[in-house]
Amino acid sequence: MNLANYLTVIGFAIIVLTIIAAGIAFLLMYRKDHSQGEHPILRNYPVLGRVRYFLENIGPEMRQYWFDSDTEGKPFSRNQYQNIVKSAKYQREVLGFGAERDYDAAGYYLANTMFPKQADEMQVNHETQVRTKKYILLKDSLFGQREEKLEDNQTSAYLLKDDDAIVIGPDAAHPFVVKSLVGQSAMSYGSLGERAITALSKGLAMAKGTWMNTGEGGLSSHHLKGGTDIIQQIGSGLFGFRDKDGNFSWEELKKKGDMEEIKAFELKLAQGAKQRGGHVDAEKVTPEIADIRKVEPYQSIESPNRFHQFDDVSTLLDFVEKIRDHTGKPCGIKVVIGRNDSLVPLAKKMKETGKSPDHITIDGGEGGTGASYQELMESVGLPIKSALPIVDATLRHYGVRDQVKIIASGKLETPDKSAMALAMGADLINIARGFMVTVGCIQTLKCHANICPVGVATTDPDLQKALVVDEKKNRVANYLVTMRKGIFRVAAAAGVESPTQLQPRHLTFKDVDGDVASMDEYYQIIDDNIAKAIKRHEDMQT
C-alpha cells in the first residue's frame, strides 16, 4: 500500500473511533439524564435538554452583544459603556449624527444660556499639564482586527483654580484642598485585585489634583504606588484599624494619620449597593488581604450592619471629632438617604452643638461595585438625583450647609450627569464603576465570584495577568481629564465661569407630558417637604 492508502485507512479509522466515542458519550449522558431526579427537562428530554441550559448560561452574553439595543443594557447600556471606553482609550468626546436619548421620557436637562462663556473666560487651571498615552484609530474594518497606534499625549489637567478649590475640613490642622471636581469612589483591595488598584492609583496620580478612596478594606501598598491623594475609609468591620481582639485601634489610626498620602478619613455608615457593611467571598481573602484586614485568610468576611463605637447622632459626631483631633485631618461620613427626614437628626444636632463631619458622601441606591444582596441592592435607598436635593435642602434649612462638603456618588459616569449633581447641591463627584471600565471591566456581572475574566474584580493571580498596569493607567488618567473638561464645557454652556457656580436654576426637569419646571421650582417643593418631615420628626420626639 502506498502512503495515500495508509492515510485513507488512518483517516477512516479516526472517523469510526470518533463516532463510536460520541455514541458512547451520548448513551452515558442519556442514561445519566434519564435517571437523575433533579431536573425534569433532562429527565424527559435526555441530552437534548442540556442545550436549554447551555443557552440559558450564555444568555447574558447574547443579550449584551446581539439583542439589547445600544440604550437598553443594565446596569450600563452599550452607549454608556462605550462613552467611558472612548474617553479613556482615545480621549474622544464627540458623537455622530445625533443623540439616542429618549426625549419623550421624563428627565433632567441642563439649562443653556443665550450667551455662553468663551473658553478664555472660564476659571480653569491650564498651567497644570497631564502627560499620558492615547490610542489613534487607524483602521476599523468589519472582518479584520482593529488597527490602532499608541502615541504620547499632553493636555491641560482641567483643574479648578486656587480661588475655586474645594477645601474639606478648613478647621482641621491639615485641611484637604481639592482641585479636581471628580475622584475615585470607595473600592476596596480585595473587591478589586492588586493590578486594578495599582493602575487606578497610578492613573489618578497622572491626572493630578484628585483623590482615591480606599474603600472599607484597609490601606494596601497598591493604593500607594501612584502617590495620589487618599481618603481612607473606615467601615464597620474596622479593617486596617482593628487590634488582635477586633477592637478599634487608636494607635493604628495615628499611624495612618501620620502618612502624608492620606488626606482625610471617612466613616462608612452605608453604601448604595449594600446599606450595611461589606461582604467578601472566602476565595478572595488571600493571605495578603487577610493581613491588611486583620482577619483569617480564605474565610468569608461579613461586616456588621453598623459600628459598635456609636449608636446615635451625638456619639457619631463625638467619634468624628475624636478622629479629627487624633489625626489632625478631616473626617467625614458616607450615608444613603431613604426618606425626606433621613438627615434631620444629624443636621439638627450639627446646629445645636456646632459639631460636624467635614464631608458627607451621599451614595445613591443605584451604586453597586463588588458583591451585595439583591434585596438591598435593588430596593433599599433612594437614587442620587432624589437623595441629593434632600440632603442639600435639609442642611440649608438648619443653616449648616457651609459646615460640610457634599460628595455625590451613583452612576455619574459622564460630564453631564456630574454637572447635574453639582447643580443639585454636590461639591464633588465620586466615580466607581466608570473607573472600573477604564481598567478593563466588561460588565460580566461576576464581581462577587472571583472569576472576573479581565482581571479587575478578582484576586486570582492567573486572571489578573490580563490586566496590564502600564497600559490601563493611561486610560484612567485620560478618562478623568476628559470628564473634567466636559464638566467645564457644560458650565460654559450654562453661562458660568466655573462648575462650582452651577446652581439649581441651571437645571430643568421635563415630565412625560412635555411640561417643564426649573429645579428652582422643584426645590420649593423639596423645601416644603423637608419642613413637613421636620415637623413630623419633632412631633414624634415629643
Side-chain angles (χ1 to χ4, degrees):
M1 259 192 326
N2 58 29
L3 179 60
N5 291 334
Y6 276 117
L7 291 176
T8 301
V9 171
I10 292 172
F12 181 77
I14 291 174
I15 292 173
V16 171
L17 290 173
T18 301
I19 292 173
I20 293 173
I24 293 172
F26 179 86
L27 291 173
L28 290 174
M29 283 191 292
Y30 188 97
R31 181 179 178 183
K32 179 180 179 182
D33 292 349
H34 189 66
S35 61
Q36 58 83 38
E38 184 179 357
H39 303 291
I41 291 290
L42 291 182
R43 191 171 177 83
N44 282 341
Y45 305 97
V47 184
L48 182 62
R50 291 174 181 260
V51 177
R52 184 256 189 194
Y53 296 108
F54 169 75
L55 293 175
E56 183 181 44
N57 284 332
I58 67 170
E61 287 79 10
M62 297 294 285
R63 286 189 292 274
Q64 181 178 359
Y65 294 114
W66 283 18
F67 302 124
D68 279 346
S69 75
D70 289 342
T71 58
E72 280 182 331
K74 300 293 183 183
F76 292 96
S77 70
R78 184 179 290 110
N79 278 350
Q80 291 170 322
Y81 176 84
Q82 287 295 332
N83 283 338
I84 299 170
V85 172
K86 289 175 182 177
S87 297
K89 193 173 182 181
Y90 308 106
Q91 281 198 355
R92 283 173 59 184
E93 310 158 72
V94 296
L95 300 175
F97 201 65
E100 295 185 50
R101 177 174 180 170
D102 181 1
Y103 288 100
D104 291 327
Y108 289 97
Y109 293 82
L110 287 151
N112 61 299
T113 178
M114 291 179 64
F115 304 101
K117 295 294 181 181
Q118 298 280 6
D120 59 1
E121 295 179 293
M122 298 302 293
Q123 295 297 312
V124 54
N125 174 358
H126 285 303
E127 290 74 34
T128 303
Q129 297 288 300
V130 175
R131 291 178 175 83
T132 65
K133 293 180 183 294
K134 70 175 182 179
Y135 285 92
I136 302 296
L137 183 62
L138 303 176
K139 184 178 180 182
D140 191 11
S141 61
L142 182 60
F143 296 103
Q145 186 174 5
R146 182 183 293 127
E147 294 182 22
E148 298 170 326
K149 179 178 69 173
L150 192 63
E151 66 172 24
D152 292 333
N153 178 60
Q154 180 173 322
T155 183
S156 168
Y158 287 93
L159 297 175
L160 298 173
K161 286 202 168 185
D162 291 348
D163 291 344
D164 290 329
I166 307 298
V167 182
I168 300 176
D171 297 327
H174 304 286
F176 181 22
V177 180
V178 182
K179 296 185 179 181
S180 170
L181 286 167
V182 180
Q184 184 215 289
S185 190
M187 293 189 286
S188 298
Y189 175 47
S191 178
L192 303 189
E194 63 184 71
R195 292 199 181 192
I197 294 292
T198 300
L200 289 167
S201 176
K202 291 186 174 183
L204 292 166
M206 290 168 65
K208 302 175 182 176
T210 189
W211 69 92
M212 179 184 210
N213 192 308
T214 63
E216 66 173 306
L219 181 71
S220 73
S221 61
H222 314 297
H223 289 102
L224 301 171
K225 286 181 179 176
T228 191
D229 290 341
I230 288 176
I231 296 178
Q232 170 77 71
Q233 190 178 87
I234 307 172
S236 57
L238 308 179
F239 302 128
F241 296 89
R242 298 157 58 104
D243 60 21
K244 57 184 176 58
D245 299 318
N247 299 312
F248 188 82
S249 171
W250 292 98
E251 180 182 352
E252 191 61 42
L253 175 69
K254 185 65 169 64
K255 289 179 184 177
K256 296 293 194 302
D258 290 340
M259 296 179 66
E260 184 179 352
E261 296 90 343
I262 295 179
K263 303 298 184 182
F265 294 88
E266 178 179 87
L267 296 173
K268 174 186 165 185
L269 275 63
Q271 178 180 340
K274 300 177 182 179
Q275 320 298 313
R276 49 158 291 147
H279 166 86
V280 182
D281 285 345
E283 55 266 31
K284 279 192 169 188
V285 188
T286 64
E288 180 190 12
I289 290 168
D291 182 62
I292 292 170
R293 299 193 180 202
K294 302 296 185 290
V295 296
E296 292 296 319
Y298 302 115
Q299 300 278 332
S300 292
I301 300 173
E302 292 280 358
S303 298
N305 270 5
R306 65 170 180 80
F307 285 82
H308 295 296
Q309 286 69 31
F310 47 84
D311 56 11
D312 59 19
V313 169
S314 294
T315 50
L316 164 63
L317 290 174
D318 289 343
F319 198 72
V320 166
E321 288 223 326
K322 192 171 180 181
I323 290 176
R324 186 190 300 120
D325 294 341
H326 213 71
T327 63
K329 295 183 177 179
C331 180
I333 61 174
K334 181 175 184 176
V335 299
V336 175
I337 300 301
R339 46 190 286 172
N340 281 330
D341 62 355
S342 286
L343 215 67
V344 167
L346 176 64
K348 184 178 180 182
K349 189 62 67 173
M350 287 168 58
K351 181 177 182 178
E352 290 173 354
T353 65
K355 298 177 180 179
S356 170
D358 293 302
H359 73 267
I360 302 176
T361 297
I362 309 301
D363 205 20
E366 67 271 58
T369 63
S372 186
Y373 302 96
Q374 175 272 329
E375 64 273 16
L376 296 180
M377 183 179 284
E378 294 192 356
S379 298
V380 181
L382 291 172
I384 192 63
K385 288 178 183 175
S386 297
L388 254 180
I390 290 174
V391 173
D392 184 55
T394 304
L395 294 173
R396 284 188 294 101
H397 182 91
Y398 282 99
V400 295
R401 177 63 181 87
D402 293 339
Q403 292 178 215
V404 63
K405 295 295 183 287
I406 296 176
I407 305 176
S409 179
K411 295 185 76 172
L412 302 174
E413 79 288 347
T414 55
D416 56 328
K417 292 179 182 178
S418 293
M420 289 178 185
L422 294 172
M424 288 181 174
D427 296 294
L428 297 167
I429 305 297
N430 262 346
I431 303 288
R433 283 172 292 183
F435 280 120
M436 287 178 69
V437 172
T438 67
V439 294
C441 170
I442 59 172
Q443 293 194 107
T444 59
L445 309 183
K446 293 180 172 63
C447 304
H448 60 293
N450 205 36
I451 55 174
C452 174
V454 290
V456 177
T458 178
T459 57
D460 186 314
D462 292 327
L463 291 173
Q464 286 196 75
K465 290 176 183 177
L467 200 162
V468 180
V469 171
D470 285 340
E471 196 266 346
K472 299 302 183 188
K473 68 181 182 183
N474 291 289
R475 299 197 188 197
V476 174
N478 289 338
Y479 170 63
L480 182 51
V481 170
T482 305
M483 278 283 293
R484 296 192 298 222
K485 183 178 180 181
I487 293 172
F488 270 99
R489 188 183 295 118
V490 168
V496 295
E497 297 173 345
S498 170
T500 59
Q501 299 170 14
L502 289 169
Q503 300 290 328
R505 63 187 176 85
H506 296 117
L507 201 57
T508 300
F509 183 81
K510 182 193 77 68
D511 66 20
V512 291
D513 297 320
D515 293 329
V516 174
S518 168
M519 193 67 184
D520 272 346
E521 300 172 56
Y522 184 41
Y523 252 76
Q524 293 176 8
I525 298 173
I526 294 172
D527 287 339
D528 291 341
N529 289 338
I530 294 298
K532 293 175 184 176
I534 290 171
K535 187 177 186 306
R536 284 196 303 270
H537 182 82
E538 291 175 348
D539 289 344
M540 289 174 63
Q541 297 253 318
T542 56

